[in-house]
Amino acid sequence: MTPKETLWDIAIIGGGPAGMIAAGRAAELGAKVILIEKNATLGNKLLISGGGRCNVLNAEFDTRKLLERFKGDGKYLFSTFSQFGVRDSLEFFHAHGMETKIENENRVFPVSDKSQSVLDVLISYMKKGAVTVMLDSPVSEIITIDDKSDSIDNKEKKITGIKLKGGKIINTKSVIIATGGTSHPETGSTGDAYAWLKKIGHAIVTPTPSLVPISVKDSWVKKLSGITLPDVKVKVLLDGVKQDIAASRFTKKGKILFTHVGLSGPMILNMSKEIGELLRYGDVTLLLDLLPKYDHANLNLKLQNIFKENDKKKFKNSLGELLPASMAQAVVELSGIDPEIICNAISREERLNLISLLKTIIVHVDKLLGADKAIISSGGVALDEVDFKTMRSRLFSNLYLVGDILNIDRPSGGFSLQICWTTGYVAGTHSAK
Ligand SMILES: Cc1cc2nc3c(=O)[nH]c(=O)nc-3n(C[C@H](O)[C@H](O)[C@H](O)COP(=O)(O)OP(=O)(O)OC[C@H]3O[C@@H](n4cnc5c(N)ncnc54)[C@H](O)[C@@H]3O)c2cc1C
């Protein structure tokens, strides 16, 4: 290093939410911080989060309950969340002038309904601490102490610098890697750091798309693109519907969204990992109960009433009270009942078949969509190799790992960004010490 070259206290790779909050926090504590981002702008994935509205976190303030949502991985996160939890994150945004609102399932959004408000907070936090931001600067590798002959006597494994594409070296005392996972790679999250980390000895669980919509074989589903049903029960079957109940793998209830290729919406996204696993073993079929609030007997009564009240109407115009128009039309077509028949001519057998259809409409899964459509990737840095009290690598004493890069299982609903706030803030704090 020549005398003119800057030695940074902390270099952060990745200008997403985890990197930005880490940078702001470390700078707030007095560290000389540089944030290196390969894109021309910061927070590209953050801006598309929550459909551009950004579900910034989930207002579950009971840490134990919150961590249950991360399944087995929650056990790693107690000490991290005890330092900067959900309430701290919410207060952080409020203290920086961003008002929030809580929607269904505790999902918190900025009152502006714009992800830009979240990005503005993070940028102003970094500005306050005088973080130097380098844009258009892809990192090509990290340099470990073994690469430096003058430091060979130091037994501790350390990172000494970062090499940018083009050859420029950034010298730094500590490095925070916040390069994200592999979902929506067009935002910049192309999983670059996994190769660097593997090279220096970290175990990486191969990333695969997670929280991802599914594509289906049934054309009627695709015709309903854009329709949302707020309350549907989905039963997942492996290897066909003809098998007995033992073939049923799991059941969930919630909102589904029809797309031009299949199904999406929070419940489907949250089921996608398990569906992906089942697809490795055979055909996966979904049985949709379109009207879970009625059992068979109640639905029978309800339909009898509907057909009685609409006795002069055609069958095709009779189901509007139960379902949105295009869903009702699809059910009419699938029912095999003459759409033109008037309601009082519908037979008992036809009515009972219609009930079966409404309670167990069959959808054949084709595949999960790819990383370009996934919210997150599952996989990443093995959690045993990270000290969650500090977010420091257990292999390199001056390397910190934050955000989507970690192999943390999580549902949709603000939990991914919460991981960014918590791990980023904690890494910023400890790297600055
Ligand atoms: C469509 C969509 C909607 C989502 N909605 C929500 C939501 O509402 N709520 C929620 O909690 N989560 C949501 N998520 C997930 C959330 O966006 C991510 O969890 C979060 O962005 C991860 O932040 P990160 O900082 O770890 O990584 P990223 O946001 O992926 O940022 C990583 C940054 O590193 C940069 N980078 C990568 N490689 C290099 C390199 N070699 N050199 C320099 N820079 C590099 C990238 O360009 C990128 O800017 C959504 C994701 C998607 C795709």
Side-chain angles (χ1 to χ4, degrees):
M1 202 176 110
T2 66
K4 271 191 176 166
E5 283 172 9
T6 307
L7 174 63
W8 297 93
D9 289 329
I10 302 160
I12 294 163
I13 313 176
M20 287 189 277
I21 196 166
R25 175 59 179 160
E28 182 177 49
L29 295 177
K32 191 159 72 171
V33 179
I34 185 167
L35 179 132
I36 306 162
E37 166 57 50
K38 73 173 167 190
N39 289 330
T41 50
L42 296 167
N44 285 4
K45 188 177 280 181
L46 179 68
L47 287 177
I48 61 165
S49 288
R53 296 202 305 132
C54 195
N55 175 194
V56 71
L57 54 83
N58 194 282
E60 173 54 76
F61 298 113
D62 179 330
T63 302
R64 195 162 291 277
K65 281 193 189 152
L66 179 91
L67 295 186
E68 278 168 14
R69 305 298 299 274
F70 300 102
K71 303 200 179 140
D73 300 336
K75 67 175 184 286
Y76 291 94
L77 294 162
F78 275 99
S79 57
T80 338
F81 272 80
S82 71
Q83 294 173 66
F84 194 74
V86 174
R87 197 173 294 284
D88 305 308
S89 308
L90 198 56
E91 282 169 4
F92 168 85
F93 284 103
H94 292 169
H96 287 85
M98 189 185 92
E99 288 178 54
T100 56
K101 57 179 173 175
I102 302 184
E103 297 191 359
N104 62 328
E105 296 172 350
N106 290 336
R107 291 163 189 257
V108 174
F109 291 86
V111 163
S112 66
D113 277 329
K114 292 196 171 79
S115 304
Q116 185 66 47
S117 305
V118 182
L119 182 57
D120 289 346
V121 166
L122 296 168
I123 290 177
S124 95
Y125 188 41
M126 290 197 295
K127 268 194 186 144
K128 239 180 246 165
V131 172
T132 297
V133 175
M134 267 183 101
L135 297 171
D136 287 317
S137 305
V139 169
S140 63
E141 63 181 286
I142 46 181
I143 305 161
T144 64
I145 205 143
D146 297 338
D147 297 332
K148 294 231 159 186
S149 52
D150 59 342
S151 310
I152 221 100
D153 52 335
N154 185 345
K155 292 276 184 297
E156 215 177 29
K157 277 166 87 180
K158 280 197 161 181
I159 311 290
T160 56
I162 289 167
K163 196 184 215 172
L164 302 186
K165 218 174 177 179
K168 186 176 164 60
I169 305 286
I170 307 287
N171 296 296
T172 180
K173 294 180 195 163
S174 291
V175 174
I176 299 178
I177 300 189
T179 45
T182 54
S183 70
H184 277 263
E186 79 285 0
T187 61
S189 327
T190 43
D192 302 5
Y194 294 136
W196 319 328
L197 289 167
K198 253 190 197 165
K199 198 172 155 197
I200 64 170
H202 263 290
I204 305 296
V205 178
T206 306
T208 52
S210 185
L211 299 185
V212 64
I214 57 178
S215 123
V216 306
K217 295 173 184 163
D218 314 80
S219 55
W220 66 267
V221 171
K222 301 171 196 177
K223 281 193 215 152
L224 296 177
S225 177
I227 297 290
T228 298
L229 297 182
D231 187 27
V232 174
K233 198 153 106 187
V234 181
K235 186 187 270 187
V236 180
L237 304 180
L238 178 63
D239 277 341
V241 287
K242 294 253 152 62
Q243 290 184 24
D244 67 16
I245 196 75
S248 165
R249 296 294 149 154
F250 58 95
T251 302
K252 287 202 171 145
K253 198 159 151 299
K255 182 156 105 178
I256 62 169
L257 167 70
F258 291 88
T259 72
H260 66 291
V261 290
L263 296 174
S264 188
M267 177 180 58
I268 295 291
L269 296 178
N270 286 334
M271 294 166 93
S272 59
K273 189 173 177 202
E274 284 101 330
I275 290 176
E277 274 157 20
L278 290 179
L279 280 167
R280 292 182 9 221
Y281 300 103
D283 291 334
V284 178
T285 312
L286 310 181
L287 295 187
L288 309 189
D289 180 348
L290 299 179
L291 298 165
K293 67 177 175 176
Y294 298 103
D295 62 17
H296 272 73
N298 287 337
L299 186 54
N300 193 13
L301 280 177
K302 182 77 190 166
L303 283 173
Q304 279 173 328
N305 281 339
I306 287 175
F307 293 156
K308 207 152 125 199
E309 280 164 17
N310 299 286
D311 59 346
K312 299 279 180 306
K313 266 194 186 168
K314 290 180 178 171
F315 170 55
K316 68 177 182 188
N317 299 324
S318 67
L319 298 179
E321 192 189 318
L322 291 175
L323 295 165
S326 40
M327 184 73 237
Q329 191 188 331
V331 167
V332 167
E333 282 167 19
L334 291 168
S335 71
I337 302 171
D338 178 1
E340 303 295 329
I341 195 173
I342 51 167
C343 287
N344 68 2
I346 294 171
S347 70
R348 178 174 180 274
E349 194 190 348
E350 283 173 328
R351 194 178 66 244
L352 295 181
N353 286 341
L354 178 62
I355 293 168
S356 289
L357 181 68
L358 289 164
K359 299 293 284 177
T360 53
I361 196 162
I362 299 168
V363 175
H364 302 89
V365 175
D366 175 21
K367 59 178 184 189
L368 299 186
L369 296 186
D372 56 329
K373 297 283 186 281
I375 301 292
I376 57 167
S377 42
S378 94
V381 176
L383 302 186
D384 288 337
E385 297 186 350
V386 178
D387 170 10
F388 279 84
K389 284 191 205 80
T390 57
M391 297 315 301
R392 201 189 336 232
S393 153
R394 291 192 190 280
L395 277 56
F396 289 82
S397 61
N398 64 344
L399 172 64
Y400 298 79
L401 301 154
V402 297
D404 265 11
I405 197 170
L406 299 160
N407 179 28
I408 299 174
D409 199 339
R410 55 208 188 273
S412 95
F415 299 97
S416 293
L417 284 171
Q418 182 61 64
I419 291 289
C420 294
W421 312 137
T422 296
T423 59
Y425 192 91
V426 168
T429 303
H430 290 278
S431 58
K433 273 182 185 167

